[in-house]
Amino acid sequence: MSQNQTVIPQEFNLPAGVRPVTGLDGIPCLELATQMTTLYWQTYGEQSRFFQALIEGRLIGAKCPQCQMVLVPPMTWNCPDCGFTDMEEVVLPHHGLLAATAPITIFPPAGQHGNAPYARGYVDVAVDVAKASFLPARLITTTGLPRPGIFVKGVKLKLVFKDEREGRITDIFWVPWDEIPEGLRDIEPLLASQLQFEDPKPPVIKRPFEEVFTAVRDLAVKAVRSPRAVENLKAVGTRRIGVWVGGGEFTLSIQNGCLEVKRVSDPGVDFVIQADDPNVFLKWANGGSLSDPAAEGSLWLPNTEAFGILPALDRVPRSVRRDEGEGKLSPES
Amino acid sequence: MNRVGIVGAGITECRSRWVEATYWKLFQMAVRAALEDAKMTAAELDAVVYGIYNDMFEHMAIPESALTGWISMGLKPGVRVTNGGATGFYAMRAAYMEVASGLSDIVLCVGGEKATDCFDPQSGTPTPAVVGVIAQSWDPFYEYPLGATASDSYMGKCMAYNDAYPGDIGDGLVRAQMIEMLCRQGNRNPFGQRRKETVTAEQVLASRWIIAPFLRLLEACMYTEGAGALIFANEQKTLEICQRTGRQPIWVKGVGAANEPYAVGRGSDNLMELPRIKSDHLAAYRAYEMAGVQPSDIQIVEVHDAFVAQLMITMGELGFVLMGKTRALIDDGVMADIQKLGDEGRPEPGQVLINPSGGLIFGGHFVGGSNMFSTWSAIREMRRRQVPLSLVHGTGAINAAYGGAMILELGEEVRA
Ligand SMILES: [Zn+2]
């Protein structure tokens, strides 16, 4: 049992009382501070074995002797597919595959205050059998906060145990296999203290500026040939936009539905947009959007004028792709 | 089975919070509106089905017990249904069954929710408390302690769908355009919670992420307080009442439901498959089979749109667009534009009017009665546009496990 910790946090309470309140109709009403709370000593019952094993640093499941289905966690020890036949304990490996790309929660419910952002996913542990449940899992990276692109479908994960365990699902978590130093990958159980979570190294920008510049220039060349993209660009009017990214600068010139990319930064631009990570523009050129990184904060915009043209720019690579798919690109000049 | 009609429908105004009314009053308001709609009195009702999702929101265990007298159903049979987000649909299914079986002639079905009296002292707002109560839908051993929420579970489904069918729901602009269209529809709903709001695609794209990359703030359904009531009747009573009201009858032509299992996995019907919303698919196709119709016969749908990305997948699962190509809703104009249809126009061939109420995102989402709200709207639109068929859909529970679909038919006018 935890010392000094209560099931309901001390600050999670309301002063007792009744107070006036007025709603949409403007009629004076009253409201009552009240609660509907139950405390529990909730039995783990048949789930206990799984948590007892976690305390011991083991991961177990239930296996059906008839159909070979493996349940992890063993939410039942009687196979629902085989007339509730008794299932047998099976020891499972401390690695698995993420069954589907995991969502990352930014706005947590009451009770998860201070934990966000967190990633919750399903780990396929019993990969060798045809029928298996997936383990609900907390996903943690040694490279900082969880963020899109790390916990994607199929990524191999290593099971990590907290050093101090008391029999909770949060006694364990999963870390990308590639982040585990080679000498530690075969250790079972691997303890959290054996990994380095403090001072995560920022990711290396993988794509050099040249590659990004080439992708944007290729997009511009195709956009001129795409009737849809030309329409999109006409909506922008005449604009010269400076683009400063980590590694270099270029200029987007838009006129009469035509997009031109110049390597040099042009002093006469209407405004400059900026991103540390040039991949923002690589993703855009490959069919992504500029609005998204703008909303996510990775693309900096000086004013609402810049923001206002993003939807049109967003459409350009998609239009090129659609016209290309439908064979509607005009011939190369 | 006996033929069953819906003879009355009534809903309250949808509000983010009703300070002026408890759920007792809200349910009574909805019942009164449905009875007025059917030109009936409560004395003609044989029994009642209550849809109430969660005792913690009503702050009363056995919450329906307090309603019995105040909705004038004293000394009559009543049963409460609770099935997560699909509570409304399942209550309607129970009311339908009671009439179809012949056990009762006329059954009241009323559902609603009082969600935002909840309060979180740490943030000083209701929302984390509401999210927290809904999070109690997960088990205490595995999922709840990991921080499961309604948003992250539906987004988990969307992520898995995107893994299986890349390049469909991921285009924020397509989703934003759907929101803009839903907003315009919601503007026409006199009871809608956000009827005075204008939301453009640009505003959607500029709104903050709830869960990237499929859910921004303006893509999510609301928490609503309100209630909705429907009156189900057998064939004879339906014809009698329609004579009284001078309106075309609404027949329940098909009902289908399916619940997926709780644990996620692969290879067994007793484990949930992630990339699909199978419950939606099975429910709808069971309803189509019973009704003897195809999705292409149906031009009005009221789909339970908890989130737009999920609405897209659901439209695929219901068979209106192909799985993996649900962006055809916008790209190919499958989603009818209310600006062109106006108040009485019929959708063009190949088009579907999706959530003319504004759906759960703009209209309202009082969980226990949201599907009654959808049905109220489907009936209203069938009558004013003279569209012969509509579909009402409900979904709910963890990872969209519960699914239901009801197909309604606009009947011939009844002559005296
Ligand atoms: Zn078995």
Side-chain angles (χ1 to χ4, degrees), chain B residues 196-268:
Chain B
K196 290 169 187 158
E197 271 185 52
T198 304
V199 176
T200 64
E202 281 70 24
Q203 286 170 323
V204 177
L205 288 171
S207 68
R208 63 176 159 85
W209 285 116
I210 303 294
I211 294 181
F214 304 116
L215 177 59
R216 291 180 192 271
L217 181 65
L218 291 174
E219 299 184 51
C221 65
M222 296 165 292
Y223 304 113
T224 301
E225 298 197 337
L230 303 170
I231 299 168
F232 289 76
N234 66 18
E235 181 164 15
Q236 186 201 332
K237 294 283 184 189
T238 297
L239 295 173
E240 254 178 60
I241 291 164
C242 286
Q243 230 171 20
R244 214 187 286 175
T245 58
R247 287 189 312 212
Q248 290 164 271
I250 301 291
W251 301 109
V252 179
K253 211 170 156 64
V255 184
N259 290 358
E260 293 178 74
Y262 183 83
V264 176
R266 54 184 162 76
S268 165

Coordinates of all heavy atoms in Angstrom, one line a residue, chain B residues 196-268:
Chain B
K196 N -27.0 28.6 -33.3 CA -26.6 30.0 -33.7 C -25.1 30.1 -34.1 O -24.7 31.2 -34.3 CB -26.9 30.9 -32.5 CG -28.4 31.1 -32.2 CD -28.7 31.8 -30.9 CE -30.2 31.8 -30.7 NZ -30.5 31.9 -29.2
E197 N -24.4 29.0 -34.1 CA -23.0 29.1 -34.4 C -22.7 29.0 -35.9 O -23.4 28.3 -36.6 CB -22.3 27.9 -33.7 CG -21.8 28.2 -32.3 CD -21.0 27.0 -31.7 OE1 -20.0 26.6 -32.4 OE2 -21.3 26.6 -30.6
T198 N -21.7 29.6 -36.3 CA -21.2 29.4 -37.7 C -19.8 28.9 -37.6 O -18.9 29.5 -36.9 CB -21.2 30.7 -38.5 OG1 -22.5 31.2 -38.5 CG2 -20.8 30.5 -39.9
V199 N -19.5 27.7 -38.1 CA -18.2 27.1 -38.1 C -17.8 26.8 -39.5 O -18.5 26.1 -40.2 CB -18.2 25.8 -37.2 CG1 -16.8 25.2 -37.3 CG2 -18.5 26.1 -35.8
T200 N -16.7 27.4 -39.9 CA -16.2 27.2 -41.2 C -15.1 26.1 -41.2 O -14.5 25.8 -40.2 CB -15.6 28.5 -41.8 OG1 -14.4 28.8 -41.0 CG2 -16.6 29.6 -41.8
A201 N -14.8 25.6 -42.4 CA -13.7 24.6 -42.5 C -12.4 25.2 -42.0 O -11.6 24.5 -41.3 CB -13.6 24.2 -44.0
E202 N -12.1 26.5 -42.3 CA -10.9 27.1 -41.9 C -10.8 27.1 -40.3 O -9.8 26.9 -39.7 CB -10.8 28.5 -42.4 CG -10.3 28.6 -43.9 CD -11.4 28.1 -44.9 OE1 -12.6 28.1 -44.5 OE2 -11.0 27.6 -46.0
Q203 N -12.0 27.4 -39.7 CA -12.0 27.4 -38.2 C -11.7 26.0 -37.7 O -11.0 25.9 -36.7 CB -13.3 28.0 -37.7 CG -13.4 29.5 -37.9 CD -14.9 30.0 -37.6 OE1 -15.8 29.3 -37.9 NE2 -15.0 31.1 -37.0
V204 N -12.3 25.0 -38.3 CA -12.0 23.7 -37.9 C -10.5 23.4 -37.9 O -9.9 22.9 -36.9 CB -12.8 22.6 -38.7 CG1 -12.5 21.2 -38.3 CG2 -14.3 22.9 -38.6
L205 N -9.9 23.7 -39.1 CA -8.5 23.4 -39.2 C -7.6 24.2 -38.3 O -6.5 23.8 -37.9 CB -8.1 23.7 -40.7 CG -8.6 22.7 -41.7 CD1 -8.3 23.1 -43.1 CD2 -8.0 21.3 -41.5
A206 N -8.1 25.3 -37.8 CA -7.4 26.2 -36.9 C -7.6 25.8 -35.4 O -7.0 26.3 -34.5 CB -7.7 27.6 -37.1
S207 N -8.6 25.0 -35.2 CA -8.9 24.6 -33.8 C -7.9 23.6 -33.2 O -7.2 22.9 -34.0 CB -10.4 24.1 -33.7 OG -10.5 22.8 -34.3
R208 N -7.8 23.6 -31.9 CA -6.7 22.9 -31.3 C -6.9 21.4 -31.4 O -8.0 20.9 -31.5 CB -6.4 23.3 -29.9 CG -7.6 23.0 -29.0 CD -7.2 23.4 -27.5 NE -8.3 23.6 -26.6 CZ -9.0 22.7 -26.0 NH1 -8.7 21.4 -26.1 NH2 -10.0 23.0 -25.2
W209 N -5.8 20.6 -31.4 CA -5.9 19.2 -31.5 C -6.5 18.7 -30.1 O -6.0 19.1 -29.1 CB -4.5 18.6 -31.7 CG -4.0 18.6 -33.0 CD1 -2.9 19.3 -33.5 CD2 -4.5 18.0 -34.2 NE1 -2.7 19.1 -34.8 CE2 -3.7 18.3 -35.3 CE3 -5.6 17.1 -34.4 CZ2 -3.9 17.8 -36.6 CZ3 -5.9 16.7 -35.7 CH2 -5.0 17.0 -36.8
I210 N -7.3 17.7 -30.2 CA -7.6 16.9 -29.0 C -6.8 15.7 -29.1 O -6.0 15.4 -28.1 CB -9.1 16.5 -29.0 CG1 -10.0 17.8 -29.0 CG2 -9.5 15.7 -27.8 CD1 -9.9 18.7 -27.8
I211 N -6.8 14.9 -30.2 CA -5.9 13.8 -30.4 C -5.5 13.9 -31.9 O -6.4 13.7 -32.8 CB -6.5 12.5 -30.1 CG1 -6.8 12.4 -28.6 CG2 -5.6 11.3 -30.5 CD1 -7.4 11.1 -28.0
A212 N -4.3 14.2 -32.2 CA -3.8 14.3 -33.5 C -3.6 12.8 -34.1 O -3.3 11.9 -33.3 CB -2.4 15.0 -33.6
P213 N -3.9 12.6 -35.3 CA -4.2 13.5 -36.4 C -5.7 13.4 -36.9 O -6.0 13.8 -38.0 CB -3.3 13.1 -37.5 CG -3.3 11.6 -37.4 CD -3.5 11.3 -35.9
F214 N -6.6 12.9 -36.0 CA -7.9 12.7 -36.5 C -9.0 13.5 -35.7 O -10.2 13.3 -36.0 CB -8.3 11.2 -36.5 CG -7.4 10.4 -37.3 CD1 -6.6 9.4 -36.7 CD2 -7.3 10.6 -38.7 CE1 -5.7 8.7 -37.5 CE2 -6.4 9.9 -39.4 CZ -5.6 8.9 -38.8
L215 N -8.6 14.3 -34.7 CA -9.6 14.9 -33.9 C -9.1 16.3 -33.4 O -8.3 16.4 -32.5 CB -9.9 14.0 -32.7 CG -10.9 14.6 -31.7 CD1 -12.2 14.9 -32.3 CD2 -11.1 13.6 -30.5
R216 N -9.7 17.3 -34.0 CA -9.6 18.6 -33.4 C -10.8 19.0 -32.6 O -11.8 18.3 -32.7 CB -9.4 19.6 -34.6 CG -8.1 19.5 -35.3 CD -8.0 20.5 -36.5 NE -6.9 20.3 -37.4 CZ -5.7 20.7 -37.2 NH1 -5.4 21.5 -36.2 NH2 -4.7 20.5 -38.1
L217 N -10.7 20.0 -31.8 CA -11.7 20.4 -30.9 C -13.1 20.5 -31.7 O -14.1 20.1 -31.2 CB -11.4 21.8 -30.3 CG -12.4 22.3 -29.3 CD1 -12.5 21.4 -28.1 CD2 -12.1 23.7 -28.9
L218 N -13.1 21.1 -32.9 CA -14.3 21.4 -33.6 C -14.8 20.1 -34.3 O -15.8 20.2 -35.1 CB -14.2 22.6 -34.5 CG -14.1 23.9 -33.8 CD1 -13.8 25.1 -34.8 CD2 -15.3 24.2 -33.0
E219 N -14.2 19.0 -34.1 CA -14.6 17.8 -34.8 C -15.3 16.8 -33.8 O -15.6 15.7 -34.1 CB -13.4 17.0 -35.4 CG -12.7 17.8 -36.4 CD -11.6 17.0 -37.1 OE1 -11.9 15.9 -37.5 OE2 -10.5 17.5 -37.1
A220 N -15.5 17.3 -32.6 CA -16.1 16.4 -31.5 C -17.5 16.7 -31.2 O -18.0 17.8 -31.3 CB -15.2 16.5 -30.3
C221 N -18.2 15.7 -30.7 CA -19.6 15.9 -30.3 C -19.6 16.7 -29.0 O -18.5 16.8 -28.3 CB -20.3 14.6 -30.1 SG -19.7 13.5 -28.9
M222 N -20.8 17.1 -28.6 CA -20.9 17.9 -27.3 C -21.4 17.0 -26.2 O -21.8 15.9 -26.3 CB -21.9 19.0 -27.6 CG -21.5 19.9 -28.6 SD -23.0 20.9 -29.1 CE -23.9 19.6 -29.8
Y223 N -21.3 17.6 -25.0 CA -22.0 17.1 -23.9 C -23.3 18.0 -23.8 O -23.3 19.2 -23.9 CB -21.3 17.3 -22.6 CG -19.9 16.6 -22.6 CD1 -18.8 17.3 -22.6 CD2 -19.9 15.2 -22.8 CE1 -17.5 16.7 -22.7 CE2 -18.7 14.5 -22.9 CZ -17.5 15.3 -22.8 OH -16.3 14.7 -22.9
T224 N -24.4 17.3 -23.8 CA -25.7 18.0 -23.8 C -26.6 17.5 -22.7 O -26.5 16.4 -22.3 CB -26.4 17.7 -25.2 OG1 -25.6 18.0 -26.3 CG2 -27.7 18.4 -25.3
E225 N -27.4 18.5 -22.2 CA -28.5 18.1 -21.3 C -29.8 18.3 -22.1 O -30.0 19.3 -22.7 CB -28.4 19.0 -20.1 CG -27.1 18.8 -19.3 CD -27.1 19.3 -17.9 OE1 -28.0 20.2 -17.6 OE2 -26.3 18.8 -17.1
G226 N -30.6 17.3 -22.0 CA -31.9 17.3 -22.7 C -32.5 15.9 -22.6 O -32.0 15.0 -22.0
A227 N -33.7 15.8 -23.3 CA -34.4 14.5 -23.3 C -35.2 14.4 -24.6 O -35.5 15.5 -25.2 CB -35.3 14.3 -22.1
G228 N -35.5 13.2 -25.0 CA -36.3 13.0 -26.2 C -37.2 11.8 -26.0 O -36.9 10.8 -25.3
A229 N -38.4 11.9 -26.6 CA -39.4 10.8 -26.4 C -40.0 10.4 -27.7 O -40.2 11.3 -28.6 CB -40.5 11.3 -25.4
L230 N -40.2 9.1 -27.9 CA -40.9 8.6 -29.0 C -42.1 7.7 -28.5 O -42.0 7.2 -27.4 CB -40.0 7.7 -29.8 CG -38.7 8.3 -30.3 CD1 -37.7 7.3 -30.9 CD2 -39.0 9.4 -31.4
I231 N -43.1 7.6 -29.4 CA -44.2 6.7 -29.0 C -44.4 5.7 -30.1 O -44.6 6.0 -31.3 CB -45.5 7.5 -28.8 CG1 -45.4 8.6 -27.7 CG2 -46.7 6.6 -28.5 CD1 -46.4 9.6 -27.6
F232 N -44.2 4.4 -29.7 CA -44.3 3.3 -30.6 C -45.7 2.7 -30.5 O -46.2 2.5 -29.3 CB -43.3 2.2 -30.2 CG -41.9 2.6 -30.6 CD1 -41.2 3.5 -29.8 CD2 -41.2 2.1 -31.7 CE1 -39.9 3.8 -30.1 CE2 -39.9 2.4 -32.0 CZ -39.2 3.3 -31.2
A233 N -46.4 2.3 -31.6 CA -47.7 1.8 -31.5 C -47.9 0.7 -32.6 O -47.2 0.6 -33.6 CB -48.7 2.9 -31.8
N234 N -48.8 -0.2 -32.3 CA -49.1 -1.3 -33.2 C -49.8 -0.7 -34.4 O -50.2 0.4 -34.5 CB -49.8 -2.5 -32.6 CG -51.2 -2.1 -32.1 OD1 -51.8 -1.1 -32.6 ND2 -51.8 -2.9 -31.2
E235 N -50.1 -1.6 -35.4 CA -50.6 -1.1 -36.7 C -51.9 -0.4 -36.6 O -52.1 0.7 -37.1 CB -50.7 -2.3 -37.7 CG -51.2 -1.8 -39.1 CD -51.0 -2.9 -40.2 OE1 -50.7 -4.0 -39.8 OE2 -51.1 -2.5 -41.3
Q236 N -52.8 -1.0 -35.8 CA -54.2 -0.4 -35.7 C -54.1 0.9 -35.0 O -54.7 1.9 -35.4 CB -55.0 -1.4 -34.9 CG -56.5 -1.0 -34.8 CD -57.2 -1.7 -33.6 OE1 -56.8 -2.8 -33.2 NE2 -58.2 -1.1 -33.0
K237 N -53.4 1.0 -33.9 CA -53.3 2.2 -33.2 C -52.5 3.3 -34.0 O -52.9 4.5 -33.9 CB -52.5 2.0 -31.8 CG -53.2 1.1 -30.8 CD -54.3 1.9 -30.1 CE -55.0 1.0 -29.1 NZ -56.2 1.7 -28.5
T238 N -51.5 2.9 -34.7 CA -50.8 3.8 -35.6 C -51.8 4.4 -36.6 O -51.8 5.7 -36.8 CB -49.7 3.1 -36.3 OG1 -48.7 2.6 -35.4 CG2 -48.9 4.0 -37.3
L239 N -52.6 3.6 -37.2 CA -53.5 4.1 -38.2 C -54.5 5.1 -37.6 O -54.8 6.2 -38.1 CB -54.2 3.0 -39.0 CG -53.2 2.1 -39.8 CD1 -53.9 0.9 -40.4 CD2 -52.6 2.9 -40.9
E240 N -55.0 4.7 -36.4 CA -56.0 5.5 -35.7 C -55.4 6.9 -35.4 O -56.0 7.9 -35.6 CB -56.3 4.8 -34.3 CG -57.6 4.2 -34.2 CD -57.7 3.5 -32.8 OE1 -57.6 4.2 -31.8 OE2 -57.8 2.3 -32.8
I241 N -54.2 6.9 -34.8 CA -53.5 8.1 -34.4 C -53.2 9.0 -35.6 O -53.3 10.2 -35.6 CB -52.3 7.8 -33.5 CG1 -52.8 7.2 -32.2 CG2 -51.5 9.1 -33.3 CD1 -51.7 6.6 -31.4
C242 N -52.8 8.4 -36.7 CA -52.4 9.1 -37.9 C -53.7 9.8 -38.5 O -53.6 10.8 -39.1 CB -51.7 8.3 -38.9 SG -50.0 8.0 -38.4
Q243 N -54.8 9.1 -38.3 CA -56.1 9.7 -38.7 C -56.4 11.0 -37.9 O -56.7 12.0 -38.4 CB -57.2 8.7 -38.5 CG -58.1 8.6 -39.8 CD -59.1 7.4 -39.6 OE1 -59.3 7.0 -38.5 NE2 -59.6 6.9 -40.7
R244 N -56.1 10.8 -36.6 CA -56.3 11.9 -35.7 C -55.4 13.1 -36.0 O -55.8 14.3 -36.0 CB -55.9 11.4 -34.3 CG -56.7 12.0 -33.2 CD -56.1 11.5 -31.8 NE -56.4 10.1 -31.5 CZ -55.8 9.5 -30.4 NH1 -55.1 10.1 -29.6 NH2 -56.1 8.2 -30.2
T245 N -54.1 12.8 -36.3 CA -53.1 13.9 -36.6 C -53.1 14.3 -38.0 O -52.6 15.4 -38.3 CB -51.7 13.4 -36.2 OG1 -51.4 12.3 -37.0 CG2 -51.6 13.1 -34.7
G246 N -53.7 13.5 -38.9 CA -53.7 13.9 -40.3 C -52.4 13.8 -41.0 O -52.1 14.5 -41.9
R247 N -51.5 12.9 -40.4 CA -50.2 12.8 -41.0 C -49.9 11.4 -41.5 O -50.6 10.5 -41.1 CB -49.1 13.1 -39.9 CG -49.1 14.6 -39.5 CD -47.9 14.9 -38.6 NE -47.9 13.9 -37.5 CZ -47.4 14.2 -36.3 NH1 -47.0 15.4 -36.1 NH2 -47.4 13.3 -35.4
Q248 N -48.9 11.3 -42.4 CA -48.5 10.0 -42.9 C -47.9 9.2 -41.7 O -47.1 9.8 -41.0 CB -47.5 10.2 -44.0 CG -48.1 10.7 -45.3 CD -47.0 11.2 -46.2 OE1 -46.5 12.4 -46.1 NE2 -46.5 10.4 -47.0
P249 N -48.2 7.9 -41.7 CA -47.6 7.1 -40.6 C -46.1 6.9 -40.9 O -45.6 7.0 -42.0 CB -48.3 5.8 -40.7 CG -49.0 5.7 -42.0 CD -49.2 7.1 -42.5
I250 N -45.3 6.6 -39.8 CA -43.9 6.3 -39.9 C -43.8 4.8 -39.4 O -44.2 4.5 -38.3 CB -43.0 7.2 -39.0 CG1 -43.2 8.6 -39.4 CG2 -41.6 6.7 -39.0 CD1 -42.6 9.0 -40.7
W251 N -43.4 3.9 -40.3 CA -43.3 2.5 -39.9 C -41.9 2.1 -39.6 O -40.9 2.6 -40.3 CB -43.8 1.6 -41.1 CG -45.3 1.9 -41.4 CD1 -45.7 2.5 -42.5 CD2 -46.4 1.6 -40.6 NE1 -47.1 2.6 -42.5 CE2 -47.5 2.0 -41.3 CE3 -46.6 1.0 -39.4 CZ2 -48.8 1.9 -40.8 CZ3 -47.9 0.8 -38.9 CH2 -49.0 1.3 -39.6
V252 N -41.7 1.3 -38.6 CA -40.3 0.7 -38.4 C -40.2 -0.5 -39.3 O -40.9 -1.5 -39.1 CB -40.2 0.3 -36.9 CG1 -38.8 -0.3 -36.6 CG2 -40.4 1.5 -36.0
K253 N -39.3 -0.4 -40.2 CA -39.2 -1.4 -41.2 C -38.1 -2.4 -40.9 O -38.1 -3.6 -41.4 CB -38.9 -0.8 -42.6 CG -39.5 -1.5 -43.8 CD -39.4 -0.6 -45.0 CE -39.4 -1.4 -46.3 NZ -40.6 -2.2 -46.6
G254 N -37.1 -2.0 -40.2 CA -36.0 -2.9 -39.9 C -35.3 -2.5 -38.7 O -35.2 -1.3 -38.4
V255 N -34.8 -3.4 -37.9 CA -34.1 -3.2 -36.7 C -32.9 -4.1 -36.6 O -33.1 -5.3 -36.8 CB -34.9 -3.3 -35.4 CG1 -34.1 -2.9 -34.1 CG2 -36.2 -2.5 -35.4
G256 N -31.7 -3.6 -36.4 CA -30.5 -4.5 -36.3 C -29.6 -4.0 -35.2 O -29.5 -2.8 -35.0
A257 N -28.9 -5.0 -34.6 CA -28.0 -4.6 -33.5 C -26.9 -5.6 -33.4 O -27.1 -6.8 -33.8 CB -28.7 -4.5 -32.1
A258 N -25.7 -5.2 -32.9 CA -24.6 -6.1 -32.7 C -23.7 -5.4 -31.7 O -23.4 -4.2 -31.7 CB -23.8 -6.3 -34.0
N259 N -23.2 -6.2 -30.7 CA -22.2 -5.7 -29.8 C -20.9 -6.5 -29.9 O -20.9 -7.7 -29.9 CB -22.7 -5.9 -28.3 CG -23.9 -5.0 -28.0 OD1 -24.3 -4.2 -28.8 ND2 -24.4 -5.1 -26.8
E260 N -19.8 -5.7 -30.1 CA -18.5 -6.4 -30.1 C -18.0 -6.6 -28.7 O -18.4 -6.0 -27.8 CB -17.5 -5.5 -30.9 CG -17.9 -5.3 -32.4 CD -16.9 -4.4 -33.1 OE1 -15.8 -4.8 -33.3 OE2 -17.3 -3.3 -33.3
P261 N -17.1 -7.6 -28.6 CA -16.6 -7.9 -27.2 C -15.7 -6.9 -26.7 O -15.2 -6.0 -27.5 CB -15.9 -9.3 -27.4 CG -15.6 -9.3 -28.9 CD -16.6 -8.5 -29.6
Y262 N -15.4 -6.9 -25.4 CA -14.6 -5.9 -24.7 C -13.1 -6.0 -25.0 O -12.5 -5.0 -25.3 CB -14.8 -6.1 -23.2 CG -14.1 -5.0 -22.4 CD1 -14.7 -3.8 -22.1 CD2 -12.9 -5.3 -21.8 CE1 -14.1 -2.8 -21.4 CE2 -12.3 -4.3 -21.0 CZ -12.9 -3.1 -20.8 OH -12.3 -2.2 -20.0
A263 N -12.6 -7.2 -24.9 CA -11.1 -7.3 -25.1 C -10.7 -7.3 -26.6 O -11.4 -7.9 -27.4 CB -10.6 -8.6 -24.5
V264 N -9.6 -6.5 -26.8 CA -9.2 -6.4 -28.2 C -8.2 -7.5 -28.5 O -7.4 -7.9 -27.7 CB -8.5 -5.0 -28.3 CG1 -7.9 -4.8 -29.7 CG2 -9.5 -3.9 -28.0
G265 N -8.3 -8.0 -29.8 CA -7.4 -9.1 -30.2 C -7.6 -9.5 -31.6 O -8.1 -8.7 -32.4
R266 N -7.3 -10.7 -31.9 CA -7.5 -11.2 -33.3 C -7.9 -12.7 -33.3 O -7.5 -13.4 -32.4 CB -6.2 -11.0 -34.1 CG -5.0 -11.6 -33.5 CD -3.7 -11.3 -34.2 NE -2.6 -11.5 -33.4 CZ -2.1 -12.8 -33.1 NH1 -2.7 -13.8 -33.6 NH2 -1.1 -12.9 -32.3
G267 N -8.6 -13.1 -34.3 CA -8.8 -14.5 -34.5 C -10.1 -15.1 -33.9 O -10.4 -16.2 -34.2
S268 N -10.8 -14.3 -33.1 CA -11.9 -14.9 -32.4 C -13.1 -13.9 -32.4 O -12.9 -12.7 -32.2 CB -11.6 -15.3 -30.9 OG -12.8 -15.5 -30.2

